[in-house]
Amino acid sequence: MRPNHLLSLLLLLLAPAIQAAVLAIDYGAEFTKLSLVKPGVPFDVVLDKDSKRKISSVVGWKRDDRVFGAEAKMAATRFPDTHFPYVKPLLGSTSPSQLPVHPNPPSLTSDGVLIFPHPSPPSHVSPSPESHDQVWTPTALLAHQIAYYRHLAETLVPSGSAPEPINQVIVTVPAWWDHYQRKAYRDALELQGLSCLAMIGEGTGVALNYAMTRSFPDFNLETGLGQKEYHVIYDSGALSTTATVLALYQTSYLPTPKSKTPINTTHIEVLGVGYEQVGGVILDVAVQDLLMADFVSKSGQKGVTSDKKAKAKIAREANRVKHILSANQEANVAIESLYNDVDYRSKVSRAALESSVESSIPFFSHPITSALSSANLTLSEINSVILFGGNTRVPLVQSALKSALGGTDDKIAQNVNTDEAAVLGAAYYGAALSRTFKMKNLNVTERSVWDVTMGDEVIFPSGTRLGEKKVLTFPADKVASAGLQLEFAQSTHTSPSQSVSKAESQVAQSKPILAVNVLDIQSALSNFTAPSPVVQVTMRLDPRGYLSVANAVLTTNALDTEKEGGMAGALKGLFGNGKKDKDASGEEEDEAEGDAVDSKKEKTAKPPKVALKFREKHVGIRPMTSEEKRTTQARLTSIAAFESAKFAREEARNLLEGYLYRLSGLLSDDAENKALHEFATEQEKKTLRKSVDETMEWLGEEAERADEKTLRQKRADLEALEAPVIFRFSEYQVRGKSIEDFQQAMFASRSFLVEARANYTAALKAAESATPENPVAPPKYTEEELKNVEDMMKDNEVWMDRLMQDQVKIDASGDKTKDPVITSKELDERGKRLQTTVLRLMSKKAPRRPKPNPGSSSTAHASPTHSGPEVRESTHADADSSSSATYTSHASPTDKGPDVRESTHTEEASGSVSSTTLASPTDHGPTPKVVAHEEL
């Protein structure tokens, strides 16, 4: 099979395991976008509970309540200590952000883990943290947000369908993320029980969205003939700017030599990546600094610089001002009661903002040159530069990009949604992985940005396709005694001619990521008889971008063409090739043929392999341990259970409160709806008023402490008091229609019965004159069936007459507080039962007429011709042969009738007369003169 189709085969193998519902997540530092791939659900982004298309990547607490998105962002001014934004850059990192974006920054523990404090955590968090200064890791905070994202997606239910859990996701990540960051993201998904089907680069997601509705030039991977399109995805977000160079093309191949229709595959291949850790947040921070300095200079309130609530207000206003300055030269600033009840009013200009970040502007253009360099392409070979990310709307970013493209914007393309293209592309990729949807074939190739080394040896160089494997071989005798221990690191890859970005220059040249210990080599070697034993360890650069061990085996390094040694080799060939002796002339040929077969077997023989145990240990930045995962998962579960119970309790309280207000309104003397007054007795109204007042008073005192069960029971008690009134009212509303429907059913059944009786009588009368030669069909309905309908109708009439006498008296009195004696339910049940019985009889098939049973006095034969039956012979003779007359008629077996021949023979023998008549030449067949013919 061709290498370029291996991914297509892999997708087919994975397809049965992929469920119908797949959630695509484009998790950004500031905003997250979601898209759900599910039958019956429109292919679009998932809205949050405020119907917004992008969700703030924030989790926070308002006292005991966990909040997300816009609600969490708004709560930052009141609860800054429990506000956790910008979690993404801290995943798999040991360095807090250099920008002041965290109101309560994380601290680095002694074992090298970033962890956020949570002052006064809720009491329902279990197990409770030992120290409030160390509660949530960045991975745990991401898991909180993922739970919210899944909840939003699970609420999207097609009409008529039941909600179903979502267990599989496709996520986008920066292409330059290292082993630690990808592992931390996967851990967050696992904490929520989600399986990561694919982890693709954000630029790749945009390219998938770009390729959804477009075709590309053909390219032959074997011959190299054809063309490719080269595009750059320029993604500038909140905290980073990335440029991804991709090749897009199409290949065609015939699945079998006899196939006539080729299979077309769209290829998306990542060629190079460049990035810088600069984004829109540096503009927010610059505006914050301008506003803070201006407020201090105008008010003299220097304490504002250390007040968390004031800083949160300024941060929110700075973000609003930044968006205004993207389209205007000036923006007004207004913050009520910023600090110590002092209001703040001012103006900020775009020029002042650009001047404050002037030193960072060149870094917005560097990813373009770095990506082109790593892809070995020039700007002239690029078809377009596709913009993505909200920061690409900022004028200074656009100017920096234009300068990187030679001062022209001819190649800049804005043909994708700058906010949603990545998540829609990821969702499109998820649909392509599933057999539930019919999509065009896709082949996505991504490459590593970092070298993976073992000591001084580069195992997977930068640019290696993700998903590749490499076998490492070690002499078994040298590693058997001490065991085999391997250590792998991830490092930057630069060449003398390649420019180095600010981000790349700050990255350590080597980061240890994985340690592997291969076990039991000595015991496996003691039972291994093959020569030249070696230990082979297969390393895999996962398609999701992290390193792992595929397997470890003990095998032989001997050449496959060597002949077998030992007793087997000595015995082989002693007595020829084991075949039957042939004549002398063929012996040499047979031996040569046998040797060729043996040689072929020796060449294709597989070496023996013994599987070895191994252990993996993540080194460097420590990931979450199993114990930490269990603790964090238990806390997440306890929070989810508390919120679920709280939601159910609040729902029960709202239902009870709404029900009380409705009853109170209906019981009031000036109520517009007088139903309760008309259909309830005075005692019932008095009891209801008393219960409503008591429940209102109880709700005001106990509502905050009452559980869901008590709240629902309170409502059930009130509903039980109101139920008799509701029953009378509903019966009054629907009884007239039920009586009318019942009478129509009785009338229709009576008409049916009259007609059925007439048919039954006619069938019986016809049966009286029927003969075996000419039978008639039996009645369609039996006497028992008709009698059953008749009895049901009589029973209904007696029941109706008896009850209607009392019901008429109640209706005539006008007293609506009396319970009805005849109910709509009984009417409907009797009417439906009668209707079902009659309809079943009406749909009954009429019985067939029995076959004729001819007696001994006549014989009928069906003719096999189109002209009618062929009468072979029919004879009627008296017992007395002396006075008998015999008539015989013969029909010619043709469609046109027999030849015309006529003769009469009269013989006188003992007074007998014999006459024979041939058939008349008609098209309708013969007409017997004596025989009575019954056609079957």
Side-chain angles (χ1 to χ4, degrees):
M1 182 174 290
R2 300 172 182 174
N4 56 304
H5 305 309
L6 289 178
L7 181 58
S8 300
L9 177 59
L10 178 61
L11 299 185
L12 292 176
L13 294 175
L14 288 175
I18 297 177
Q19 298 176 347
V22 179
L23 177 62
I25 303 176
D26 178 27
Y27 181 65
E30 187 173 10
F31 292 103
T32 297
K33 278 74 66 178
L34 310 173
S35 184
L36 182 63
V37 182
K38 182 178 180 180
V41 176
F43 183 74
D44 200 358
V45 297
V46 177
L47 306 180
D48 70 355
K49 64 180 184 179
D50 298 322
S51 299
K52 293 184 178 180
R53 297 179 69 87
K54 58 182 181 179
I55 307 163
S56 295
S57 303
V58 179
V59 59
W61 272 264
K62 296 194 300 185
R63 297 186 178 90
D64 288 351
D65 298 332
R66 185 174 59 168
V67 289
F68 301 95
E71 186 180 2
K73 203 169 184 179
M74 293 294 293
T77 57
R78 295 179 56 200
F79 307 97
D81 288 338
T82 55
H83 175 68
F84 304 104
Y86 300 105
V87 174
K88 182 179 180 179
L90 301 181
L91 294 172
S93 175
T94 58
S95 302
S97 177
Q98 301 299 318
L99 298 173
V101 293
H102 298 106
N104 210 355
S107 59
L108 188 66
T109 63
S110 58
D111 54 351
V113 177
L114 284 176
I115 194 163
F116 282 90
H118 189 162
S120 303
S123 59
H124 59 265
V125 176
S126 178
S128 58
E130 297 178 358
S131 172
H132 298 170
D133 295 332
Q134 297 181 1
V135 182
W136 302 116
T137 63
T139 301
L141 292 175
L142 175 57
H144 283 290
Q145 298 177 60
I146 291 173
Y148 176 63
Y149 303 151
R150 179 169 60 181
H151 170 72
L152 292 175
E154 288 177 345
T155 58
L156 295 179
V157 181
S159 179
S161 301
E164 60 177 317
I166 295 174
N167 300 316
Q168 296 181 322
V169 294
I170 291 180
V171 299
T172 64
V173 298
W176 43 268
W177 260 18
D178 58 24
H179 176 90
Y180 310 111
Q181 294 165 305
R182 294 172 185 265
K183 181 70 169 56
Y185 200 146
R186 189 185 69 171
D187 288 345
L189 295 172
E190 290 178 351
L191 287 173
Q192 291 296 342
L194 293 172
S195 173
C196 183
L197 293 179
M199 184 180 287
I200 62 175
E202 292 166 342
T204 305
V206 177
L208 282 162
N209 178 253
Y210 179 78
M212 283 172 56
T213 57
R214 291 175 172 84
S215 58
F216 302 98
D218 291 331
F219 184 81
N220 191 312
L221 293 174
E222 294 181 349
T223 63
L225 299 177
Q227 293 182 340
K228 298 180 180 180
E229 283 188 12
Y230 298 103
H231 299 270
V232 177
I233 308 297
Y234 182 80
D235 175 12
S236 187
L239 287 172
S240 64
T241 299
T242 306
T244 307
V245 180
L246 303 105
L248 289 90
Y249 54 94
Q250 178 178 295
T251 59
S252 300
Y253 77 99
L254 296 174
T256 63
K258 296 183 180 180
S259 300
K260 295 182 179 180
T261 303
I263 295 179
N264 298 323
T265 303
T266 299
H267 292 255
I268 300 173
E269 183 178 356
V270 176
L271 302 180
V273 176
Y275 76 100
E276 281 290 352
Q277 292 179 345
V278 291
V281 171
I282 67 167
L283 304 178
D284 289 78
V285 173
V287 176
Q288 293 175 33
D289 292 341
L290 292 174
L291 298 183
M292 187 75 73
D294 187 50
F295 177 77
V296 171
S297 64
K298 290 180 178 179
S299 65
Q301 302 282 345
K302 296 183 179 180
V304 70
T305 57
S306 58
D307 186 271
K308 292 183 178 181
K309 291 185 178 181
K311 291 169 71 175
K313 291 180 181 179
I314 290 178
R316 187 172 64 183
E317 182 68 8
N319 184 264
R320 187 188 70 85
V321 168
K322 181 189 73 172
H323 287 91
I324 294 175
L325 292 179
S326 295
N328 301 274
Q329 294 296 327
E330 279 189 342
N332 293 322
V333 181
I335 305 176
E336 301 291 336
S337 185
L338 175 58
Y339 181 70
N340 286 341
D341 295 329
V342 178
D343 297 338
Y344 175 52
R345 300 284 189 277
S346 185
K347 285 186 178 181
V348 178
S349 65
R350 183 193 293 180
L353 172 61
E354 293 179 350
S355 175
S356 63
V357 296
E358 185 176 3
S359 60
S360 299
I361 294 178
F363 295 113
F364 285 104
S365 61
H366 186 273
I368 292 284
T369 56
S370 179
L372 290 174
S373 176
S374 62
N376 294 319
L377 293 175
T378 62
L379 186 61
S380 61
E381 297 175 274
I382 301 299
N383 294 79
S384 70
V385 177
I386 301 171
L387 302 186
F388 177 72
N391 204 43
T392 57
R393 303 185 185 101
V394 178
L396 67 88
V397 176
Q398 294 175 348
S399 299
L401 178 61
K402 185 177 179 180
S403 65
L405 300 178
T408 177
D409 57 0
D410 294 341
K411 292 183 180 293
I412 295 178
Q414 297 178 340
N415 43 19
V416 299
N417 188 313
T418 56
D419 292 321
E420 302 169 0
V423 73
L424 292 177
Y428 178 68
Y429 189 52
L433 292 177
S434 173
R435 288 183 177 177
T436 307
F437 307 93
K438 186 177 181 180
M439 314 290 290
K440 65 180 182 180
N441 295 329
L442 293 173
N443 188 312
V444 177
T445 301
E446 294 192 293
R447 303 178 185 276
S448 66
V449 177
W450 313 101
D451 287 339
V452 175
T453 61
M454 184 182 67
D456 296 331
E457 181 182 359
V458 178
I459 305 300
F460 294 105
S462 172
T464 301
R465 294 189 180 192
L466 298 184
E468 288 195 1
K469 297 180 180 180
K470 185 166 185 178
V471 179
L472 306 179
T473 304
F474 306 91
D477 54 350
K478 293 183 180 181
V479 299
S481 58
L484 181 59
Q485 295 181 352
L486 307 175
E487 292 187 359
F488 300 90
Q490 201 170 48
S491 62
T492 58
H493 175 77
T494 57
S495 62
S497 60
Q498 182 179 352
S499 59
V500 180
S501 68
K502 174 184 176 182
E504 291 171 339
S505 64
Q506 293 175 349
V507 174
Q509 289 300 310
S510 181
K511 293 181 179 180
I513 57 175
L514 188 67
V516 180
N517 186 13
V518 184
L519 309 173
D520 301 332
I521 300 177
Q522 187 69 48
S523 60
L525 192 60
S526 62
N527 298 321
F528 195 76
T529 58
S532 303
V534 294
V535 176
Q536 289 184 345
V537 180
T538 303
M539 302 302 298
R540 185 187 188 205
L541 191 59
D542 192 272
R544 295 163 184 82
Y546 38 81
L547 186 69
S548 62
V549 181
N551 60 60
V553 296
L554 177 66
T555 184
T556 178
N557 200 31
L559 296 177
D560 293 337
T561 56
E562 291 184 4
K563 293 186 178 181
E564 297 183 33
M567 186 62 67
L571 292 176
K572 182 179 271 189
L574 283 178
F575 303 99
N577 54 19
K579 298 181 180 180
K580 295 179 79 175
D581 293 334
K582 297 186 178 182
D583 56 4
S585 61
E587 284 181 357
E588 293 182 0
E589 182 179 355
D590 290 341
E591 289 176 359
E593 182 179 352
D595 291 340
V597 173
D598 290 342
S599 175
K600 183 177 181 181
K601 289 182 179 180
E602 289 172 357
K603 290 181 180 179
T604 58
K606 294 183 178 179
K609 291 183 179 181
V610 178
L612 299 174
K613 295 181 180 180
F614 59 86
R615 291 177 183 171
E616 291 180 305
K617 180 181 179 181
H618 294 276
V619 294
I621 299 177
R622 184 179 66 79
M624 296 183 73
T625 64
S626 299
E627 181 61 29
E628 289 173 340
K629 285 184 179 180
R630 283 192 293 269
T631 301
T632 303
Q633 196 166 35
R635 289 173 179 170
L636 293 170
T637 302
S638 66
I639 293 174
F642 173 80
E643 291 176 344
S644 178
K646 181 181 178 182
F647 174 79
R649 194 190 71 83
E650 289 178 349
E651 184 182 27
R653 176 184 173 177
N654 293 336
L655 291 174
L656 174 60
E657 192 171 7
Y659 185 59
L660 285 171
Y661 284 118
R662 187 182 72 84
L663 273 182
S664 180
L666 291 174
L667 287 169
S668 64
D669 295 333
D670 57 347
E672 295 182 3
N673 187 343
K674 298 293 184 181
L676 198 58
H677 292 273
E678 295 176 358
F679 290 89
T681 64
E682 290 300 325
Q683 182 60 37
E684 288 172 334
K685 287 187 283 186
K686 182 179 179 180
T687 304
L688 272 173
R689 287 193 182 99
K690 181 180 178 182
S691 297
V692 168
D693 293 341
E694 291 177 349
T695 308
M696 279 282 196
E697 183 179 356
W698 175 88
L699 188 64
E701 296 176 355
E702 303 292 333
E704 297 299 330
R705 296 187 294 271
D707 57 12
E708 177 196 0
K709 182 179 179 181
T710 304
L711 291 166
R712 293 191 183 277
Q713 185 60 47
K714 288 287 184 181
R715 180 178 176 180
D717 294 342
L718 288 170
E719 288 175 337
L721 295 176
E722 190 191 14
V725 185
I726 294 177
F727 172 71
R728 297 182 203 119
F729 175 73
S730 60
E731 284 296 319
Y732 178 81
Q733 295 287 327
V734 302
R735 188 171 56 251
K737 180 67 166 57
S738 297
I739 292 174
E740 181 182 350
D741 293 343
F742 177 81
Q743 291 174 341
Q744 288 182 356
M746 290 287 290
F747 176 79
S749 300
R750 190 174 294 109
S751 300
F752 163 77
L753 190 60
V754 171
E755 182 179 353
R757 281 290 184 190
N759 292 338
Y760 181 78
T761 303
L764 293 180
K765 185 176 180 180
E768 293 176 357
S769 59
T771 62
E773 294 84 3
N774 187 22
V776 296
K780 181 178 181 181
Y781 310 110
T782 65
E783 177 63 26
E784 290 79 10
E785 292 173 334
L786 298 180
K787 185 68 168 55
N788 182 37
V789 175
E790 188 174 357
D791 291 344
M792 291 178 65
M793 294 181 62
K794 288 180 180 180
D795 181 64
N796 287 342
E797 289 174 356
V798 172
W799 172 80
M800 187 73 170
D801 292 342
R802 176 172 56 83
L803 295 181
M804 280 302 293
Q805 293 178 5
D806 297 334
Q807 186 63 47
V808 169
K809 293 178 182 179
I810 295 175
D811 293 340
S813 67
D815 188 359
K816 298 179 181 178
T817 63
K818 292 184 178 181
D819 293 332
V821 295
I822 184 169
T823 64
S824 60
K825 181 180 179 181
E826 293 176 311
L827 288 165
D828 293 342
E829 287 178 351
R830 285 177 172 268
K832 288 179 180 178
R833 191 184 310 119
L834 179 62
Q835 181 187 46
T836 302
T837 303
V838 172
L839 290 176
R840 179 175 54 82
L841 293 177
M842 293 177 66
S843 61
K844 181 180 178 181
K845 292 184 178 180
R848 294 183 179 182
R849 183 171 68 93
K851 293 183 178 180
N853 186 16
S856 59
S857 60
S858 64
T859 304
H861 299 277
S863 172
T865 64
H866 299 303
S867 303
E870 177 187 359
V871 181
R872 294 293 185 185
E873 186 174 4
S874 182
T875 306
H876 303 271
D878 295 334
D880 189 2
S881 60
S882 61
S883 60
S884 63
T886 301
Y887 301 91
T888 303
S889 175
H890 299 277
S892 175
T894 62
D895 292 336
K896 298 180 180 180
D899 295 334
V900 179
R901 289 190 309 221
E902 190 173 329
S903 63
T904 303
H905 304 277
T906 304
E907 296 182 359
E908 297 180 358
S910 302
S912 65
V913 179
S914 175
S915 175
T916 302
T917 305
L918 299 181
S920 173
T922 63
D923 292 335
H924 301 288
T927 304
K929 296 182 179 180
V930 178
V931 178
H933 180 76
E934 180 71 26
E935 185 175 357
L936 297 179

